[in-house]
Structure formats: C-alpha cells, structure tokens
C-alpha cells in the first residue's frame, strides 16, 4: 500500500499554524487535518448538552458518537453548521478543557490518524508531531510572542464580526496556553526533531516559504 507523507505543524493558538498548514496543504495538493477543530467540536457538543467537564464517561460517549461532517469548507455538527461558532474563544476554552482528558485524546487518535492518505497530509495541532504522527517526514513547531498572537486573534475574530477586545484575548490566550502546556498527556511541546520557527516578526508568506523549502529538502 502506498504510504502517505506527513508534515506536522504544531504550536500555540495564534501562532499562524492554521493558515500556514492550509496553505502548505493546498500548494502541495495534500490533505489537511485541523485537529483543533475536532477538539472544538467536542467542546461545543459537550457544552450544548449541558455536560460538566468532570463527567468524563459522558464526554467520551459524545466523542464516540457525535456526527461531524466537513462539507465544502463548512463544518457541521449533528447537521448544524457550526463553522463560525467553533472559532469563538469560549469554544476554544471548552476545547482545551476536554483536550486535557486522557481518554478523550485516546478516542480521537484513530480518527486523526485516518486522515493520513496519499499523496500526503498536513496536520495542524498541538501534538501532531509528538504523539499522533511521530514518524512524520517534516515537523514544524511554530510560535510567536503572546502579545503578537493576541493581536492576530483579535484581527481574525473582528473580521468575522465577533465582539472581542485585545486585553480579554491576551488573558484567555495565556490561560489556554498554560492548560495546553501543563496537562499530563500530550502537552504542547516541540516534538523531537521539530524545526522551531518564531513567527513574531515574520509574515505568513515568509513562514510559508520556509516550510515549503524545508518540505522540498525532506520529501
Ligand atoms: O488549534 P485550536 O486553537 O483550534 O485548538 C483548540 C484547543 O484544542 C486547544 O486549546 C487545545 C486543543 N488541541 C489539542 O489539545 N490538541 C490538538 N492536536 C489540537 C487542539
């Protein structure tokens, strides 16, 4: 069987990994996995059902049974279009809470690995290079200062018409970083062998160029 090649792009929220990953995937004509969207969908489904974050068995049940569809750039949960809803900071925070539960991560593992199809996959997340695809051909760890990341998120959310302010976003981002970096399973860390890129003073185009050059060298 022909194996899929894999590029992993991990990093904290607002590092630019989502945009860079999608653009790398489209340039190479590869598949794209937005693993954060899966955690966000679960975070949303759990809060919609009024389930508390310590009700682990109920959360796992939702993770195993929730109906998710990715269609023409839209994301549906149980048939409802939640493309924009899952991008809010509150759903991001819920995602980060369910993501700290080891059984949740185990449940989502197979689902994520199933995305690895020829010719290749660009996987965006927190533990793509460290846990989900440890044998990836190229691993990138993309960071940026917390202030810069808050500014980028502000711009993104404003463009979507959401009511946000930079100060609240900075606090929320810092809170989420702490939870993602300090959890016991699959914390946010640079995977072994990952190329660490600080995008604070780089444009998306510059980051994209570096990643594509690395891909050319390694693939
Ligand atoms: O990348 P994102 O902001 O959409 O991710 C939302 C949350 O999901 C993030 O705070 C932590 C969690 N997450 C994770 O734990 N592992 C991943 N591979 C992707 C996201």
């Amino acid at each position: 069987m022909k194996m899929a090649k894999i590029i992993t792009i991990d990093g904290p929220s607002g590092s630019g990994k989502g945009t860079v990953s999608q653009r790398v995937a489209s340039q190479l004509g590869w598949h794209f996995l937005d693993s954060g969207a899966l955690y966000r969908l679960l975070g949303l489904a759990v809060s919609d059902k009024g389930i508390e974050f310590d009700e682990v068995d109920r959360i796992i049940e939702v993770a195993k049974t929730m109906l998710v569809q990715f269609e023409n750039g839209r994301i549906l949960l149980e048939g409802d279009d939640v493309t924009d809803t899952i991008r809010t900071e509150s759903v991001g925070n819920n995602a980060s809470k369910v993501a700290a539960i080891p059984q949740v991560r185990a449940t989502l593992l197979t689902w994520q690995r199933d995305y690895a199809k020829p010719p290749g996959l660009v996987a965006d997340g927190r533990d793509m290079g460290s846990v989900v695809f440890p044998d990836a051909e190229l691993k990138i760890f993309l960071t940026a200062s917390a202030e810069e990341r808050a500014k980028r998120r502000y711009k993104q959310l404003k463009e979507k018409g959401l009511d946000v302010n930079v100060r609240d976003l900075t606090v929320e981002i810092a809170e989420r970083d702490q939870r993602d970096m300090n959890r016991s399973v699959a914390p946010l860390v640079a995977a072994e062998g990952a190329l660490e890129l600080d995008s604070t003073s780089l444009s998306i185009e510059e980051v994209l160029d570096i990643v594509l050059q690395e891909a050319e060298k390694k693939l």
Side-chain angles (χ1 to χ4, degrees):
M1 194 176 76
K2 197 165 169 254
M3 298 292 283
K5 292 193 169 155
I6 296 174
I7 297 176
T8 59
I9 305 187
D10 289 303
S13 170
S15 58
K17 68 191 165 56
T19 312
V20 170
S21 304
Q22 282 188 55
R23 293 201 38 195
V24 171
S26 94
Q27 289 255 357
L28 298 174
W30 286 13
H31 301 279
F32 168 60
L33 165 63
D34 174 1
S35 62
L38 304 184
Y39 288 98
R40 284 173 181 267
L41 284 158
L42 182 59
L44 177 63
V46 162
S47 69
D48 276 356
K49 288 179 193 296
I51 298 173
E52 300 292 332
F53 292 103
D54 58 358
E55 295 183 272
V56 174
D57 290 346
R58 292 184 72 192
I59 296 175
I60 302 302
E61 189 53 30
V62 177
K64 285 185 175 156
T65 55
M66 65 181 182
L67 175 65
V68 171
Q69 293 155 287
F70 292 89
E71 274 174 13
N72 308 321
R74 308 302 296 177
I75 304 176
L76 310 185
L77 174 63
E78 309 298 342
D80 293 332
D81 189 330
V82 294
T83 317
D84 298 324
T85 316
I86 61 163
R87 298 300 162 194
T88 60
E89 285 308 293
S90 74
V91 173
N93 243 313
N94 291 349
S96 153
K97 286 180 191 161
V98 293
I101 304 169
Q103 298 95 313
V104 164
R105 306 200 70 85
T107 305
L108 295 190
L109 201 56
T110 320
W111 190 355
Q112 296 175 85
R113 286 187 177 148
D114 284 346
Y115 277 81
K117 294 201 176 87
L121 173 72
V122 180
D124 156 3
R126 301 289 188 291
D127 61 341
M128 297 295 100
S130 56
V131 175
V132 182
F133 301 111
D135 299 327
E137 276 78 9
L138 173 61
K139 299 179 186 180
I140 305 285
F141 191 73
L142 195 58
T143 58
S145 72
E147 295 74 25
E148 177 62 23
R149 292 189 286 119
K151 272 196 239 153
R152 290 178 189 171
R153 287 294 286 164
Y154 175 78
K155 208 167 151 249
Q156 252 179 14
L157 295 171
K158 268 280 181 218
E159 278 165 8
K160 288 191 176 144
L162 296 167
D163 185 24
V164 281
N165 71 63
V166 178
R167 214 180 28 194
D168 288 353
L169 271 178
T170 310
V171 173
E172 277 166 4
I173 282 183
E175 216 178 85
R176 192 133 70 87
D177 281 356
Q178 281 309 312
R179 197 180 307 111
D180 293 346
M181 286 189 290
N182 294 315
R183 67 183 174 219
S184 59
V185 278
L188 171 64
V189 283
E192 215 182 300
L195 171 70
E196 296 197 38
L197 278 179
D198 183 342
S199 74
T200 308
S201 47
L202 296 176
S203 67
I204 288 291
E205 299 301 330
E206 288 169 319
V207 176
L208 191 64
D209 278 353
I210 299 173
V211 176
L212 288 171
Q213 274 168 27
E214 285 299 314
E216 210 163 283
K217 274 193 244 161
K218 298 237 169 139
L219 302 174

